[in-house]
Amino acid sequence: EDQVTQSPEALRLQEGESSSLNCSYTVSGLRGLFWYRQDPGKGPEFLFTLYSAGEEKEKERLKATLTKKESFLHITAPKPEDSATYLCAVQADRDDKIIFGKGTRLHILP
Amino acid sequence: GAGVSQSPRYKVTKRGQDVALRCDPISGHVSLYWYRQALGQGPEFLTYFNYEAQQDKSGLPNDRFSAERPEGSISTLTIQRTEQRDSAMYRCASSQESPGTASYYEQYFGPGTRLTVT
């Protein structure tokens, strides 16, 4: 069964304190791994798609990396406006269903 | 341009009533997904459409749930004989590319419909 596990469930950081969020996945044939950001009361907002191990993508203070078993979302020198829930999702190559993890709630303290 | 819209934003209904939730995707988007999201959880896949064809409905909890997209644009998720356990946020998302062909699956999510069954 396809599965996505995110850790930690919640993370509190001081402004400027870099860290990483983890997404471990089990899928038979990965078509793509996705990272989304979700603010309270809103729908998820797309950040990145990664397709193969070794791939990296960056956007402002965020960098996503992918291995054969997990993905990391690195946050460098975060600011309070980076506070949100970060969701990881995978899509298998045998169908188009997208499986989301439970997310990591990130809180950046000023 | 306009994003994905959903209506109603909030729906309170009595147990046993039927409800219809509407999703209006971004114009021209081929794919449309329905999700259910519980508080503190990630979105849970329900079903998806490619144009007007329902491609996968394996995530629908039971036969009280159905969805349609007759003209390949607006979609309706219908829940018959609602139960309290159906209370949740229902979200839809649309994507420009057709699944299975493109390599880029960015989904644009709507604001959701908060369903409360009393």
Side-chain angles (χ1 to χ4, degrees):
Chain A
E1 181 182 341
D2 300 336
Q3 207 164 16
V4 177
T5 303
Q6 292 189 245
S7 62
E9 289 187 9
L11 182 62
R12 294 167 69 92
L13 300 171
Q14 289 295 136
E15 183 173 1
E17 182 184 357
S18 301
S19 188
S20 296
L21 312 182
N22 177 265
C23 171
S24 297
Y25 65 91
T26 304
V27 64
S28 54
L30 180 71
R31 176 181 290 166
L33 183 143
F34 316 98
W35 282 98
Y36 283 82
R37 169 190 170 130
Q38 187 170 24
D39 293 299
K42 295 190 176 182
E45 178 185 339
F46 173 81
L47 292 173
F48 304 109
T49 303
L50 301 167
Y51 298 106
S52 57
E55 189 175 0
E56 298 183 352
K57 288 195 176 172
E58 288 189 65
K59 180 179 181 179
E60 295 181 357
R61 296 177 290 282
L62 300 176
K63 181 167 107 173
T65 61
L66 181 64
T67 73
K68 289 186 178 180
K69 294 183 179 180
E70 57 193 349
S71 176
F72 291 94
L73 184 65
H74 307 277
I75 302 176
T76 302
K79 299 181 178 181
E81 54 261 41
D82 295 322
S83 298
T85 295
Y86 290 86
L87 296 163
C88 173
V90 297
Q91 188 171 43
D93 58 13
R94 68 178 181 282
D95 59 34
D96 295 302
K97 187 184 304 185
I98 296 178
I99 308 299
F100 279 84
K102 293 182 179 181
T104 294
R105 295 188 309 278
L106 178 65
H107 186 55
I108 308 300
L109 302 166
Chain B
V4 177
S5 61
Q6 292 185 246
S7 61
R9 292 293 308 278
Y10 303 91
K11 177 70 176 177
V12 180
T13 190
K14 292 186 183 300
R15 187 179 57 183
Q17 296 294 306
D18 298 350
V19 294
L21 311 181
R22 172 183 165 132
C23 173
D24 201 339
I26 293 173
S27 178
H29 275 198
V30 170
S31 302
L32 187 148
Y33 284 71
W34 280 100
Y35 296 91
R36 181 168 66 177
Q37 188 171 20
L39 199 61
Q41 304 290 313
E44 173 194 6
F45 170 84
L46 296 176
T47 185
Y48 90 92
F49 293 83
N50 187 15
Y51 297 101
E52 73 282 357
Q54 190 170 20
Q55 299 292 331
D56 185 338
K57 56 181 181 180
S58 63
L60 295 176
N62 51 61
D63 60 8
R64 294 187 297 105
F65 287 72
S66 63
E68 62 175 9
R69 194 187 183 196
E71 297 180 0
S73 179
I74 294 169
S75 178
T76 302
L77 177 70
T78 301
I79 309 173
Q80 294 180 312
R81 305 181 301 283
T82 52
E83 301 177 6
Q84 285 188 323
R85 59 178 173 156
D86 300 333
S87 297
M89 177 70 81
Y90 289 84
R91 297 193 187 276
C92 78
S94 69
S95 174
Q96 187 172 8
E97 290 78 16
S98 174
T101 59
S103 60
Y104 186 62
Y105 292 92
E106 176 178 350
Q107 294 194 347
Y108 294 83
F109 280 80
T113 294
R114 169 73 65 188
L115 175 65
T116 302
V117 183
T118 62

